[in-house]
Amino acid sequence: MMTMGVKKKEDYAIGSSSFHFNYPLLDFSDDKSSLGFMELLGVQEYSPLLDLPLGSNVELLPTSDVKELPQTKKDWSEVTNQQPATPNSSSISSASSEALNDEQKNRTVDQTHDEHKKTKEQLKAKKTNQKRQREPRFAFMTKSEVDHLEDGYRWRKYGQKAVKNSPFPRSYYRCTSVSCNVKKRVERSFSDPSIVVTTYEGQHTHPSPVMGRSNNFCSLMSGSENYMSQYYQQQHQQPLHVDALSSLGFLSPKNVTFPQETALLSDYGRLQDVVPSLMFKQD
DNA sequence: CGAGTTTGACCTGCGC
DNA sequence: GCGCAGGTCAAACTCG
């Protein structure tokens, strides 16, 4: 069905930690004797993962593989140095502009101009007191023919922008669930059009709408930790305490590397099992 | 008719 | 301060 090879060791920068990780190659070719990505993560049960045509490749890639991303220092800080987001932080700018729009509708041009000025000043004053903070972001790359990978959550596209120095546009999606303000950006790498870069922002406040899933956040995380813990113990003859795993999920901490031999998948799972689980807020 | 997409306009932040 | 690029809004449109 799908093969997964531990390709090479790379430096990852996700969340607040950077780490080494042998990223898996997910290949939808038929191989019954293989080990699934979810199996690698220690998850015993999973259902079909990416809703992709057979023959398409899905490859989790280290961010360093795409040279143009992130493009700026700001981008890097967004991906690598997360700050805790304050409640309502994401709605500050939109709420302000909505208020502005309502005012504009009901007033004359001159009045509107004055009001606009006022509102801008108020906004400025607000900004000085309350710096806009972003939700934590999680970026990853996949090798896929389809831009928008099925991850078990429902998304509404709210924007698309041309990206500088790239022929491929960036799409903006929001989780359709009410009171869940998770967003994601999807764009193709211009250096390698087969690579899709997905950036999640925020945490889901609800479980995946896809029903009947046995491998939830807990099983995924505990499973992945088990796998890496077992491997680490084999290699170092001592138990592994995985702080990064417990905070970030399946990601390995620094200095923990995976076996070099190729691991093959016997089945395929869902992207949801990897990413949105990380974003799911456990209260 | 409701949900989702498209797309031009607008807002915001950052670098120079 | 200005210009640029990223990010968001919202009306119009499409689709089931």
Side-chain angles (χ1 to χ4, degrees):
Chain A
M1 206 44 136
M2 178 170 63
T3 62
M4 177 169 68
V6 177
K7 255 182 109 177
K8 63 177 179 180
K9 190 170 75 177
E10 286 287 350
D11 286 330
Y12 276 76
I14 294 180
S16 56
S17 30
S18 62
F19 52 94
H20 299 293
F21 192 70
N22 290 313
Y23 61 88
L25 166 64
L26 306 182
D27 184 359
F28 284 79
S29 57
D30 221 343
D31 194 327
K32 302 289 181 197
S33 65
S34 55
L35 171 69
F37 179 50
M38 300 317 296
E39 288 166 341
L40 176 65
L41 294 174
V43 177
Q44 300 304 315
E45 291 179 38
Y46 51 86
S47 50
L49 143 80
L50 300 168
D51 294 335
L52 297 173
L54 284 175
S56 59
N57 288 327
V58 176
E59 186 174 4
L60 300 183
L61 300 168
T63 51
S64 56
D65 267 18
V66 179
K67 299 294 184 289
E68 78 274 23
L69 287 170
Q71 292 175 335
T72 64
K73 266 194 282 182
K74 186 184 151 206
D75 289 339
W76 273 117
S77 67
E78 284 170 354
V79 173
T80 61
N81 185 26
Q82 317 307 334
Q83 292 182 350
T86 55
N88 305 324
S89 61
S90 64
S91 62
I92 291 172
S93 75
S94 63
S96 314
S97 60
E98 275 168 23
L100 189 67
N101 287 340
D102 287 344
E103 286 169 358
Q104 285 174 328
K105 281 175 193 168
N106 302 321
R107 293 172 200 276
T108 65
V109 175
D110 286 334
Q111 282 173 327
T112 305
H113 187 73
D114 289 343
E115 290 292 338
H116 197 154
K117 250 185 162 176
K118 256 188 198 172
T119 316
K120 269 195 168 179
E121 281 165 12
Q122 286 170 354
L123 267 178
K124 210 173 181 180
K126 239 185 195 178
K127 263 196 293 185
T128 56
N129 294 330
Q130 189 178 4
K131 206 176 180 183
R132 191 185 174 192
Q133 290 186 320
R134 287 191 178 281
E135 296 280 336
R137 286 187 174 186
F138 175 93
F140 71 99
M141 285 177 267
T142 54
K143 199 159 200 170
S144 171
E145 291 164 16
V146 292
D147 287 346
H148 193 194
L149 299 171
E150 176 58 53
D151 59 13
Y153 288 89
R154 300 190 67 195
W155 301 93
R156 171 193 286 257
K157 189 175 184 176
Y158 67 89
Q160 179 173 305
K161 282 287 285 187
V163 181
K164 199 193 172 192
N165 297 326
S166 173
F168 306 105
R170 174 183 296 151
S171 297
Y172 299 89
Y173 297 88
R174 238 196 294 266
C175 183
T176 58
S177 183
V178 283
S179 78
C180 179
N181 60 347
V182 175
K183 296 169 194 170
K184 75 171 176 181
R185 300 187 312 205
V186 177
E187 63 188 286
R188 263 182 199 283
S189 162
F190 82 88
S191 62
D192 185 350
S194 65
I195 293 174
V196 178
V197 182
T198 307
T199 305
Y200 286 85
E201 181 177 334
Q203 291 183 311
H204 289 288
T205 57
H206 58 96
S208 165
V210 174
M211 56 293 148
R213 308 216 32 81
S214 58
N215 47 332
N216 57 15
F217 180 89
C218 295
S219 64
L220 172 65
M221 291 310 119
S222 59
S224 59
E225 187 166 351
N226 282 343
Y227 178 86
M228 282 183 263
S229 178
Q230 283 168 20
Y231 179 73
Y232 185 88
Q233 285 181 47
Q234 279 174 18
Q235 299 299 307
H236 298 84
Q237 303 297 317
Q238 56 179 297
L240 166 69
H241 182 68
V242 191
D243 288 330
L245 281 178
S246 53
S247 61
L248 283 169
F250 69 94
L251 308 174
S252 78
K254 249 183 178 166
N255 303 324
V256 177
T257 55
F258 281 70
Q260 291 304 310
E261 67 268 19
T262 298
L264 301 172
L265 287 178
S266 60
D267 203 343
Y268 55 94
R270 272 186 183 275
L271 180 63
Q272 157 199 1
D273 295 326
V274 181
V275 180
S277 301
L278 297 174
M279 313 308 297
F280 178 57
K281 193 183 282 175
Q282 287 196 307
D283 296 321

